Amino acid sequence: DVKVTQSSRYLVKRTGEKVFLECVQDMDHENMFWYRQDPGLGLRLIYFSYDVKMKEKGDIPEGYSVSREKKERFSLILESASTNQTSMYLCASSHRQGPYSQPQHFGDGTRLSIL
Amino acid sequence: GENVEQHPSTLSVQEGDSAVIKCTYSDSASNYFPWYKQELGKRPQLIIDIRSNVGEKKDQRIAVTLNKTAKHFSLHITETQPEDSAVYFCAATTMEYGNKLVFGAGTILRVKS
């Protein structure tokens, strides 16, 4: 069974802090994703990576960066946290194979509060 | 880029009735359409998906239909049960986007017993 593990379920940080959210998957997936989930807005893609050291901007990358030094680990970084970044953050991973996209598997999420 | 619209935003049904959630997409090149169920406080879980080479797929009480011409796809849940209560998300993607999924805004389904 696919396991996507996010380092924290709940996190409280202060405005201006640098925040790291970690995600690890154990299925040797090539693709990894970071989303934020806000009520009424669904899941919005922040960044994704299709290989080690590769990264692509999603729909809302402003204020965020990512790091993928190892295939199994994808980190989301809030360079200088702001209150509008209070949200639920979800990590996901998937294989890259064949002509069709493959299912994405999600972690449990990190509920981040910026005070 | 791809845009996915999902309706309704909330849906209440009586236990045993059917529920239908509809999504439309904008990019005719989209070829993969998953549906996710998210229970309160839990991760989104894939419940069914369909690829553009088929028009319908069924798994027990849930089914998905795809109309490529009209660019819409629907989730059908029959004989609803209280445990079906959750938020349901549709999504669409193409390989051009590197497996990026574009999600609908979600539908809150309440099954009343």
Side-chain angles (χ1 to χ4, degrees), chain A residues 4 9 31 33 35 37 40-43 45 48 57 90 94-96 98-104 106-108, chain B residues 31-32 36 38 41-44 46 49 51-53 89 93-95 97-106:
Chain A
V4 179
R9 287 300 305 274
N31 303 316
F33 308 84
Y35 296 90
Q37 183 176 20
L41 297 178
L43 283 77
L45 183 65
F48 70 106
K57 291 180 180 179
L90 288 161
S94 70
H95 267 309
R96 185 176 72 245
Y100 294 98
S101 295
Q102 300 299 318
Q104 289 188 18
F106 285 85
D108 285 328
Chain B
N31 62 6
Y32 175 65
Y36 286 84
Q38 187 177 27
K42 296 192 175 180
R43 68 180 71 186
L46 179 74
D49 56 10
R51 297 191 165 103
S52 58
N53 58 347
F89 294 98
T93 189
T94 75
M95 284 299 288
Y97 298 137
N99 284 202
K100 290 193 313 182
L101 286 174
V102 177
F103 283 86

Side-chain angles (χ1 to χ4, degrees), chain A residues 9 19 38 68 76 84 97 103 115:
Chain A
R9 287 300 305 274
V19 181
D38 300 288
R68 191 153 180 215
L76 179 70
N84 63 11
Q97 64 186 73
L115 304 179

Side-chain angles (χ1 to χ4, degrees), chain A residues 2 5 10 32 35 44 49 54-55 66 73 77 83 88 108-109:
Chain A
V2 177
T5 304
Y10 301 94
M32 295 190 75
Y35 296 90
R44 294 179 293 166
S49 168
M54 305 301 290
K55 61 184 179 183
V66 290
R73 186 179 297 271
I77 304 155
T83 55
M88 170 68 84
D108 285 328

Side-chain angles (χ1 to χ4, degrees), chain A residues 69-113:
Chain A
E69 296 297 318
K70 294 184 177 181
K71 190 175 186 180
E72 67 271 17
R73 186 179 297 271
F74 192 35
S75 302
L76 179 70
I77 304 155
L78 284 67
E79 297 292 343
S80 178
S82 64
T83 55
N84 63 11
Q85 292 178 308
T86 292
S87 186
M88 170 68 84
Y89 290 87
L90 288 161
C91 175
S93 70
S94 70
H95 267 309
R96 185 176 72 245
Q97 64 186 73
Y100 294 98
S101 295
Q102 300 299 318
Q104 289 188 18
H105 301 269
F106 285 85
D108 285 328
T110 296
R111 186 162 292 283
L112 175 64
S113 296

